[in-house]
Amino acid sequence: DNRAAEHGDRMGASASAFMPATLLPGTFPPAARVSTRSLGLRGGIAAASMIDITPNVSFDTIAREWRCKWSADADKAALVSAQDALAGVVADVKKVKGVKSVQRVVCGGCLDFKVVTALDAGAFGDWEAAKFEPEEAFLAKIKAIPGITEVETQTYTLMPM
């Protein structure tokens, strides 16, 4: 499957593209740095340590997304089964060190089912090193569900505006 290469390796994306060299030695462009920014992005006025991708793009949260398409056939049986699969792992995901939130997104128009796990940027590397446990088992489970297609993952920064 060449889809991953065509989409910037979204299916196995690493957070290293966002992390400064002090957090992931040798993996981040030299211009990246850690700074102290106002928590105005988070609705507060205190300062917090942020990672700067550019002078005007900073973050303190990295998210891992698991996503798929579901079929509305058989009274949305694929969606029911995907939700059951998520219910089976969500407690384990919430126990991951540094987790800020776990959100489920369902679109009835484009038939998306997504799970977005947001972590403190400083803790993300440990979860990545653990292969995003329980990601492999969850993805295998939903891939086996009739009516589930286009199972993918993606890693990105996430910040409130």
Side-chain angles (χ1 to χ4, degrees), residues 12-16 19 23-25 62 64 96-97 119-136 155:
S14 169
S16 63
M19 303 302 285
L23 297 177
L24 292 173
I62 300 177
R64 180 69 170 179
V96 171
K97 182 181 176 193
L119 282 87
D120 178 72
F124 189 86
D126 290 340
W127 194 38
E128 183 177 35
K131 298 182 180 178
F132 307 109
E133 184 64 32
E135 177 176 287
E136 186 176 337
T155 299

Side-chain angles (χ1 to χ4, degrees), residues 35-147:
S35 67
T36 301
R37 298 273 180 143
S38 165
L39 280 180
L41 290 176
R42 294 212 166 274
I45 56 172
S49 180
M50 302 285 264
I51 298 166
D52 299 332
I53 300 172
T54 68
N56 64 343
V57 178
S58 301
F59 68 94
D60 65 359
T61 303
I62 300 177
R64 180 69 170 179
E65 180 178 283
W66 305 331
R67 64 175 170 258
C68 63
K69 297 287 188 178
W70 54 274
S71 168
D73 295 345
D75 201 22
K76 302 177 187 144
L79 177 60
V80 170
S81 295
Q83 179 62 39
D84 288 344
L86 175 58
V89 300
V90 73
D92 292 334
V93 174
K94 287 181 175 183
K95 289 178 187 174
V96 171
K97 182 181 176 193
V99 166
K100 293 181 173 187
S101 67
V102 179
Q103 298 175 307
R104 189 218 52 226
V105 179
V106 175
C107 177
C110 61
L111 306 180
D112 282 340
F113 181 89
K114 301 177 181 185
V115 180
V116 179
T117 304
L119 282 87
D120 178 72
F124 189 86
D126 290 340
W127 194 38
E128 183 177 35
K131 298 182 180 178
F132 307 109
E133 184 64 32
E135 177 176 287
E136 186 176 337
F138 174 75
L139 296 179
K141 191 166 202 165
I142 64 171
K143 284 178 182 178
I145 297 170

